[in-house]
Amino acid sequence: MEEDEGERLIPEPGTDLAKLLEYKVYRRRWFILVVICLLNSSNAMIWLSFAPVADQTAQYFNVTLDQINWLSLIYMVVAIPVSFGTTWMLDTLGLKTSLILSSWLNMTGSILRFISILSKYPTWLMFYPLLMFGQTLCALAQPLVIFSPTKMAALWFPEHQRATANMIASMSNPLGILFANILSPLIVKNESGLPLMLGIYAFPASIACLLATLFIRASAPPTPPSASAETSNSEPFLKGMKLVKRYKALAVCVCMYICMCCTVEAYVVLFHTYY
């Protein structure tokens, strides 16, 4: 049954009515999913925006290819220490705060990247360090962005929709990588195309920040979408880290994921640099 605030979920026959809450799913969950997808895709586009056009970027800033490669690698360097704080932030401060903070980091970084390349500004601003600083801010946003889908799906979606919502939000990251590898070479035929490329990539980051800041008003819905969402309290951060050590299968999955990320990143950067 459809309501103004959400869809009422009908309990299964035989449910203990004394313990039953009135579970609802809210239509705004799809808006939050769209914001996360846009933010995730935008951050991934910024991540690898220079890899397909490394030669042109190096010539424009008069730096080496190794320095240009660090614009992508900085994401990996930042992600290692920041990921632990991100886990604590999502559990302690909530989904809303994490999304707004990540969207502002992503937008600010993308704007600084654009400013660093504008020739009408003083010479000291048109400089590689400012570009790297903007890229680093976007890198700080990445762990917050890529860890959000699981939390969002658990809090806002009923059990039969969680896997789909998590998949859509998570796949927006490789989709952004695909866009970067297609759009960057199309836009940057020579050095003069770099300002246009950075301006285009700053646009979705700004839209995602605007939507997250103005329209995401709560970390969780007023009424949980399911019984599992009602009781989905995470362990305290330090206690949770101790529990992780007991599960060898999880350690294997983590190692496999790290190897996959390192391989993909190295392949993309080296391929676009030397071929």
Side-chain angles (χ1 to χ4, degrees):
M1 182 171 62
E2 193 81 15
E3 295 188 346
D4 291 339
E5 295 184 346
E7 304 167 7
R8 190 187 304 273
L9 298 180
I10 306 300
E12 295 292 334
T15 304
D16 186 356
L17 296 180
K19 298 180 180 179
L20 179 65
L21 286 176
E22 185 179 335
Y23 301 122
K24 292 180 182 179
V25 288
Y26 294 80
R27 287 188 292 268
R28 77 185 81 162
R29 71 190 186 278
W30 298 110
F31 172 79
I32 297 175
L33 176 60
V34 169
V35 172
I36 291 179
C37 288
L38 180 60
L39 183 57
N40 208 343
S41 183
S42 168
N43 187 262
M45 290 168 63
I46 292 171
W47 174 19
L48 293 178
S49 55
F50 296 109
V53 291
D55 290 331
Q56 296 92 323
T57 308
Q59 292 172 8
Y60 192 96
F61 283 95
N62 194 26
V63 295
T64 65
L65 286 176
D66 287 337
Q67 289 175 290
I68 297 303
N69 289 339
W70 272 106
L71 293 171
S72 301
L73 294 174
I74 191 63
Y75 269 67
M76 301 292 99
V77 175
V78 168
I80 296 172
V82 173
S83 296
F84 295 99
T86 297
T87 305
W88 172 85
M89 183 174 293
L90 280 168
D91 289 339
T92 305
L93 302 181
L95 182 65
K96 174 187 174 182
T97 301
S98 300
L99 287 178
I100 292 176
L101 176 60
S102 62
S103 66
W104 275 94
L105 286 171
N106 196 55
M107 182 189 71
T108 305
S110 66
I111 291 175
L112 288 178
R113 290 177 358 137
F114 183 60
I115 292 176
S116 72
I117 209 168
L118 294 179
S119 58
K120 68 178 181 178
Y121 282 87
T123 305
W124 66 272
L125 278 176
M126 184 184 168
F127 204 55
Y128 177 81
L130 183 60
L131 179 65
M132 176 60 80
F133 180 67
Q135 193 79 357
T136 303
L137 290 181
C138 296
L140 288 170
Q142 189 193 47
L144 287 167
V145 174
I146 62 177
F147 292 172
S148 298
T150 304
K151 195 74 171 179
M152 175 270 302
L155 292 175
W156 285 90
F157 284 81
E159 293 177 357
H160 67 281
Q161 293 180 347
R162 284 181 190 169
T164 301
N166 195 7
M167 179 270 297
I168 293 173
S170 299
M171 286 303 297
S172 60
N173 186 271
L175 185 63
I177 295 175
L178 177 64
F179 286 155
N181 281 275
I182 293 175
L183 294 177
S184 291
L186 291 177
I187 299 171
V188 184
K189 301 296 185 181
N190 50 56
E191 299 175 27
S192 62
L194 280 172
L196 176 61
M197 182 192 76
L198 295 183
I200 290 175
Y201 287 165
F203 182 74
S206 302
I207 295 298
C209 182
L210 178 68
L211 295 176
T213 303
L214 296 181
F215 300 109
I216 295 182
R217 300 176 180 175
S219 294
T223 305
S226 66
S228 59
E230 178 198 1
T231 59
S232 62
N233 295 323
S234 302
E235 295 284 352
F237 178 74
L238 293 178
K239 184 179 180 181
M241 292 301 297
K242 293 178 181 178
L243 291 174
V244 167
K245 297 179 181 178
R246 302 179 185 177
Y247 298 98
K248 295 182 179 180
L250 179 60
V252 173
C253 290
V254 170
C255 291
M256 292 177 63
Y257 182 76
I258 291 173
C259 292
M260 180 198 70
C261 290
C262 292
T263 303
V264 171
E265 169 68 4
Y267 172 79
V268 170
V269 171
L270 292 176
F271 179 84
H272 286 295
T273 299
Y274 296 106
Y275 295 97

